[in-house]
Amino acid sequence: MNILMMKIPNIICSLSIFLIAGQQFVFNSVQASNLQPKYPGLRLNQSPDQNSKFELYANAIKNCPREFTNWNLVESFTTKSYSLALCQQRDDLYLVGHQKEPHESFISALVESQNNNLLIAGDKDGFSYEISNSELKVFQDNQLIATENLLDLNLIGNIWQLQEIRYNNDELIEVANPDNYTIEFLPDGQLAIKADCNRALGAYTQDGSSISIEIGATTRALCPPESISEQYLRDLQAATIFFFKDGYLYFDLKFDTGTMKFRPE
């Protein structure tokens, strides 16, 4: 009994040290979380391999950083040197992206004002960005350092001609006559499609960079043996994601089976 009584103070002392250490750990964790930047998705001087969780390194941005919930891709912008996306989380809007060269020049700028004709965003390093209907202006410490035209990256308003279908089993179909395989997105959600010697109507829905295409009434003419008419229509219905790169339109097919590439007529 005497031995047990002698050990009790030591046990109490050990428990006290453990509780104090636990409280300090919780305090440090809270402090660290409070020091996190409001938008920690992109960090300067970080290589694409280090930040590969973000799909921001293609020439056109497909998605906002998916590590953060409730972020939505509102719109993408592409110029000769910049790939940018307007992303929203609750009431916050950020302009995120990168310069195409060099890749370490990442961008994360809070949108300060926005109306129908002009968007202005700025970051903590003195860079600001102005996007109008037709051009991007980049400022550093209020000095204009770049002006570039926006590429026309709208689904609507173009007739898109198929260039190639590249499957993930290394099969590549290059289209000799792109004007025989076209798709036009109409403002009312309808489609007008040319599939070699056939014509088709259809409908599409778009949510951010996600897309769903349904083929409707189709003519049944007998096309030449080398035609890919049926394959083209089938792959269109397998499109799940669209994005733009250097003025081209791409569809990623479901189950990661391949990609379709189009150019504007």
Side-chain angles (χ1 to χ4, degrees):
M1 177 64 72
N2 291 335
I3 295 175
L4 179 60
M5 294 300 293
M6 292 174 63
K7 287 185 177 181
I8 287 177
N10 292 334
I11 294 173
I12 293 174
C13 181
S14 298
L15 287 173
S16 299
I17 293 173
F18 176 80
L19 289 173
I20 292 171
Q23 289 174 344
Q24 186 64 39
F25 173 80
V26 172
F27 175 80
N28 290 340
S29 299
V30 171
Q31 288 293 97
S33 65
N34 289 336
L35 292 174
Q36 291 296 318
K38 189 175 184 181
Y39 179 75
L42 298 175
R43 295 178 289 278
L44 295 175
N45 303 319
Q46 187 171 28
S47 70
D49 288 340
Q50 291 172 305
N51 214 14
S52 60
K53 68 184 69 174
F54 304 116
E55 298 179 10
L56 294 173
Y57 304 105
N59 282 355
I61 297 174
K62 299 181 187 180
N63 297 298
C64 295
R66 58 188 176 187
E67 184 172 281
F68 305 98
T69 57
N70 300 322
W71 284 87
N72 296 310
L73 178 67
V74 178
E75 191 171 358
S76 294
F77 309 96
T78 300
T79 70
K80 180 180 179 181
S81 305
Y82 292 85
S83 291
L84 302 170
L86 184 62
C87 295
Q88 183 175 21
Q89 185 186 53
R90 293 182 290 275
D91 295 329
D92 291 334
L93 281 173
Y94 278 82
L95 190 67
V96 301
H98 63 279
Q99 280 183 274
K100 297 175 184 178
E101 295 294 339
H103 270 299
E104 64 267 17
S105 301
F106 300 117
I107 295 164
S108 173
L110 176 67
V111 174
E112 299 167 352
S113 66
Q114 182 186 18
N115 57 43
N116 292 333
N117 299 314
L118 183 66
L119 180 147
I120 300 175
D123 67 17
K124 59 182 179 60
D125 297 312
F127 287 89
S128 59
Y129 307 86
E130 293 185 2
I131 297 177
S132 67
N133 290 333
S134 60
E135 67 180 10
L136 165 72
K137 291 182 178 180
V138 183
F139 298 83
Q140 183 177 14
D141 297 325
N142 297 320
Q143 298 294 317
L144 181 65
I145 62 173
T147 301
E148 296 192 5
N149 292 327
L150 297 178
L151 299 178
D152 184 6
L153 300 179
N154 294 314
L155 286 175
I156 299 172
N158 288 304
I159 296 177
W160 296 95
Q161 298 178 336
L162 180 67
Q163 301 296 293
E164 66 180 35
I165 307 174
R166 186 181 296 272
Y167 298 100
N168 288 350
N169 62 0
D170 295 329
E171 179 186 0
L172 173 64
I173 297 176
E174 295 181 304
V175 180
N177 299 303
D179 57 339
N180 285 349
Y181 298 90
T182 67
I183 184 168
E184 182 178 7
F185 295 86
L186 304 175
D188 60 356
Q190 300 301 302
L191 294 169
I193 300 168
K194 181 180 181 182
D196 200 357
C197 66
N198 284 298
R199 302 290 187 274
L201 300 176
Y204 71 97
T205 56
Q206 175 193 346
D207 182 9
S209 61
S210 298
I211 194 165
S212 175
I213 293 175
E214 294 184 7
I215 306 297
T218 306
T219 62
R220 297 296 181 184
L222 184 61
C223 298
E226 66 274 13
S227 174
I228 60 167
S229 174
E230 293 184 4
Q231 185 175 358
Y232 172 57
L233 294 174
R234 182 177 64 248
D235 284 346
L236 281 177
Q237 294 189 102
T240 58
I241 298 291
F242 76 92
F243 62 97
F244 299 97
K245 179 178 178 180
D246 295 336
Y248 290 93
L249 167 65
Y250 292 82
F251 289 151
D252 280 346
L253 306 182
K254 64 181 178 181
F255 307 127
D256 196 28
T257 53
T259 303
M260 305 176 77
K261 177 182 178 180
F262 297 80
R263 75 178 182 196
E265 186 177 51

